[in-house]
Amino acid sequence: MYTFDRALVLGPGGHVGTAWMAGLAYGLHRDGVDLGEADLTVGTSSGAIVGALLATGQDPGRLATSDRPAAHRLKADPARTGAVFAVLGDRSLEPGEARRRVGRLALDSTDPRADEALIAGRAALIGADAWPERRLLITAVDATTGEPVVWDRDSGVPLVHAVAASSAFPGAAPPVAIDGRRYMDGALRAGPNADLAAGARTLVVVEPMAHLFPREPLDQQLAAVGADAVVTIGPDPASVRAFGSDPGDLAAWVPAYQAGLRQAGDIDAQLRSMWKAAADAD
């Protein structure tokens, strides 16, 4: 049933999640676990940023600080974000309808200048503009139809545009125009989208917002994958404190990165043996 050995799933998490995952990845690499070697990387929202960075061979340590002004020129709209979460929290709505309603909220704030700023910002963060040879999947949602999409290097969508769309959560970033349609955050499909790692023998899931949401949906996704070995990594209590209360708070970027770096030291031994065993099985 297995078609490849190692898969890495990186979930959503705002600015603090991006910084924390970068610190975690840098710390693990320093200790001998290179997550960029995954046969498949699934990136969603913040995970799309870090996933693209890793899969293209960039150094996650380049995100140790938030000193790239082009990466953070967007002004958040907390009221719109609150309206989005109100829709997502309405259990009377089937998922497709909820996504369409969220899409209408997103499309109500389209501004070409904001679109351009988002794309430029994501380019500054990931440091690459071409899809990698290693398999990378980037998720997003059509803001008009509510239909999820999954892009890879054969989709004809530029990497930076795919990452920008995947990380365009309404209220925090505008939907991204691609081939005449607009796309928004891939987390609206299914959180970390771990089900897209089907076929992996070994699976590592990094979920920055694990402490905020129920575990059951992720467990269902993991069951669908059916990997032999699974490790899920969420922020420990010290990392949660470093995040603060606002995932979009740039002031928490450096503390979140440092928290990920520290937490890597607590989990590297567990991951090293599993990651190496999976590589040896190639």
Side-chain angles (χ1 to χ4, degrees):
M1 67 177 282
Y2 301 110
T3 57
F4 56 94
D5 288 303
R6 295 182 291 182
L8 172 66
V9 171
L10 301 172
H15 288 324
V16 297
T18 303
W20 177 76
M21 283 189 287
L24 187 78
Y26 181 80
L28 290 172
H29 185 271
R30 179 193 59 190
D31 295 334
V33 180
D34 185 357
L35 296 178
E37 293 177 344
D39 302 302
L40 167 69
T41 298
V42 178
T44 294
S45 197
S46 296
I49 298 169
V50 178
L53 185 150
L54 292 175
T56 57
Q58 307 299 305
D59 176 10
R62 68 194 301 274
L63 299 188
T65 64
S66 60
D67 59 357
R68 292 173 175 79
H72 311 297
R73 289 187 299 195
L74 298 171
K75 184 177 181 180
D77 182 348
R80 193 179 306 275
T81 300
V84 168
F85 279 112
V87 171
L88 296 177
D90 186 347
R91 298 193 176 187
S92 70
L93 299 175
E94 64 92 16
E97 176 59 23
R99 290 193 296 267
R100 286 188 290 274
R101 293 192 184 189
V102 169
R104 287 195 288 272
L105 289 168
L107 292 168
D108 192 38
S109 62
T110 57
D111 177 351
R113 292 172 300 178
D115 201 17
E116 293 167 4
L118 175 63
I119 292 167
R122 297 306 185 248
L125 288 174
I126 65 177
D129 57 10
W131 287 86
E133 287 302 313
R134 290 187 180 274
R135 193 173 181 217
L136 171 65
L137 302 182
I138 302 293
T139 64
V141 170
D142 187 308
T144 300
T145 66
E147 289 298 313
V149 296
V150 181
W151 292 310
D152 61 14
R153 64 172 175 259
D154 297 322
S155 300
V157 175
L159 175 62
V160 173
H161 286 67
V163 170
S166 183
S167 56
F169 195 85
V176 174
I178 299 173
D179 294 333
R181 305 197 68 82
R182 287 191 172 272
Y183 297 90
M184 57 186 180
D185 203 293
L188 297 166
R189 175 189 181 271
N193 297 300
D195 59 299
L196 295 177
R201 183 185 301 275
T202 298
L203 173 61
V204 174
V205 179
V206 184
E207 194 176 11
M209 298 289 105
H211 58 295
L212 295 179
F213 299 103
R215 170 78 186 202
E216 183 180 2
L218 176 60
D219 286 338
Q220 292 171 350
Q221 293 180 26
L222 297 179
V225 173
D228 275 351
V230 177
V231 171
T232 60
I233 304 169
D236 62 13
S239 292
V240 171
R241 289 193 294 273
F243 288 1
S245 59
D246 178 7
D249 183 7
L250 278 174
W253 183 286
V254 171
Y257 179 92
Q258 292 295 329
L261 188 64
R262 175 199 50 76
Q263 193 172 342
D266 296 333
I267 61 177
D268 73 283
Q270 174 193 13
L271 273 184
R272 190 184 305 116
S273 59
M274 186 187 78
W275 205 242
K276 184 177 185 301
D280 292 343
D282 284 345

